[in-house]
Amino acid sequence: MMQSTDRDEVPRREAALQKAMLAFWRDSVAATSYPELVDVTGLSRKALYGYWQDKDALVLDALTLYDTSVLAPMRDALLPPSVQTLRAFWEGFENAI
C-alpha cells in the first residue's frame, strides 16, 4: 500500500470537509455523530482528529466552506444592487430549481 504524501493531504482534507458539510446540512449538526462523520468522510476517527481537534472545529470549517462556496456567490450575484440585478438573480434561481 502506498503511503500518503503531504500533497495528498490537502485534497483529502477538502473532500472530507465537503462531505461533512453536506452531512451537517442533511441531518443537522446535532444529529450528525462522529461515527457518522467517519462513515461519510471515509476517514478514520484518528484522521478526522488529525485534521480537526474536535467536532466544533470541523463545524466551524464547514460553516466557512458553506459561506465561501454557497453564500458568497449568491451575495456576489446581487451586486451591484439594482432591480435588474435582483431580477436576474431570481430568474437564475428559478431556472436552477
Side-chain angles (χ1 to χ4, degrees), residues 21-41:
M21 180 189 73
L22 294 174
F24 293 146
W25 178 259
R26 183 187 62 236
D27 301 327
S28 85
V29 170
T32 305
S33 66
Y34 226 80
E36 290 173 88
L37 289 168
V38 167
D39 186 52
V40 166
T41 62

Side-chain angles (χ1 to χ4, degrees), residues 12-70:
R12 185 176 177 210
R13 183 183 188 279
E14 289 174 359
L17 181 59
Q18 176 76 26
K19 291 173 183 176
M21 180 189 73
L22 294 174
F24 293 146
W25 178 259
R26 183 187 62 236
D27 301 327
S28 85
V29 170
T32 305
S33 66
Y34 226 80
E36 290 173 88
L37 289 168
V38 167
D39 186 52
V40 166
T41 62
L43 297 178
S44 68
R45 192 174 187 91
K46 181 180 178 181
L48 278 173
Y49 278 117
Y51 291 133
W52 298 279
Q53 67 183 16
D54 55 25
K55 185 177 171 185
D56 289 343
L58 176 54
V59 169
L60 183 59
D61 279 357
L63 286 170
T64 301
L65 176 62
Y66 185 78
D67 181 56
T68 59
S69 64
V70 177

Side-chain angles (χ1 to χ4, degrees), residues 60-86:
L60 183 59
D61 279 357
L63 286 170
T64 301
L65 176 62
Y66 185 78
D67 181 56
T68 59
S69 64
V70 177
L71 297 179
M74 291 176 71
R75 284 189 304 267
D76 292 348
L78 291 168
L79 296 175
S82 69
V83 172
Q84 293 83 7
T85 303
L86 185 58

